[in-house]
């Protein structure tokens, strides 16, 4: 949705394409960090709060900016970008709600029973 909002904001005469581009880059960087398994290597940074803050800030900025674009612009690309921006803001808000680190409970690590079963013990 960030990419769709970026394309629509870019096609419109509004100057709000930077927000979608920055959020798209931040999302790609966090995805790359998780793909390279950086969280265990960098325990100094709390990755749960980092992802939560990225989602929360992105949701608020997308909702505010998209509402401004929908109210002030009358071109089709601007309105489409605003709609995609609102959808992206809602999804980022839901992602922030899911990834809130204080909501996630800590569970005990599994014991060796699983591995003993596969080793034939």
């Amino acid at each position: 949705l960030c990419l769709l909002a970026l394309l629509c904001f870019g096609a419109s005469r509004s100057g709000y394409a930077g927000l979608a581009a920055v959020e798209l880059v931040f999302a790609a960087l966090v995805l790359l960090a998780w793909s390279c398994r950086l969280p265990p290597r960098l325990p100094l940074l709390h990755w749960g709060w980092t992802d939560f803050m990225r989602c929360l800030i992105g949701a608020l900025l997308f909702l505010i900016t998209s509402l401004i674009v929908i109210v002030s612009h009358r071109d089709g690309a601007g309105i489409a970008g605003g709609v995609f921006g609102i959808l992206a803001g809602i999804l980022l808000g839901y992602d922030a709600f899911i990834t809130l680190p204080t909501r996630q409970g800590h569970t005990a690590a599994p014991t060796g029973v699983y591995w003993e079963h596969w080793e034939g013990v």
Side-chain angles (χ1 to χ4, degrees), residues 2-17:
C2 289
L3 182 62
L4 287 174
L6 174 66
L7 291 175
C8 290
F9 284 149
S12 173
R13 287 177 284 161
S14 64
Y16 298 109

Side-chain angles (χ1 to χ4, degrees), residues 12-88:
S12 173
R13 287 177 284 161
S14 64
Y16 298 109
L19 168 69
V22 168
E23 187 60 36
L24 185 66
V25 168
F26 282 158
L29 288 176
V30 169
L31 180 66
L32 182 68
W34 284 103
S35 298
C36 294
R37 299 178 192 227
L38 284 181
R41 294 180 192 167
L42 296 173
L44 204 69
L45 184 64
H46 193 286
W47 290 91
W49 282 106
T50 303
D51 193 29
F52 171 73
M53 292 305 292
R54 179 194 61 85
C55 292
L56 185 68
I57 291 170
L60 290 175
L61 289 177
F62 260 122
L63 289 174
I64 292 169
T65 305
S66 297
L67 287 174
I68 290 171
V69 168
I70 287 176
V71 168
S72 65
H73 293 289
R74 296 289 175 225
D75 58 341
I79 293 174
V83 170
F84 287 131
I86 286 177
L87 290 175

Side-chain angles (χ1 to χ4, degrees), residues 89-109:
I90 291 170
L91 286 177
L92 283 169
Y94 180 69
D95 190 19
F97 177 73
I98 287 175
T99 60
L100 182 64
T102 58
R103 284 191 64 240
Q104 299 173 355
H106 297 283
T107 59

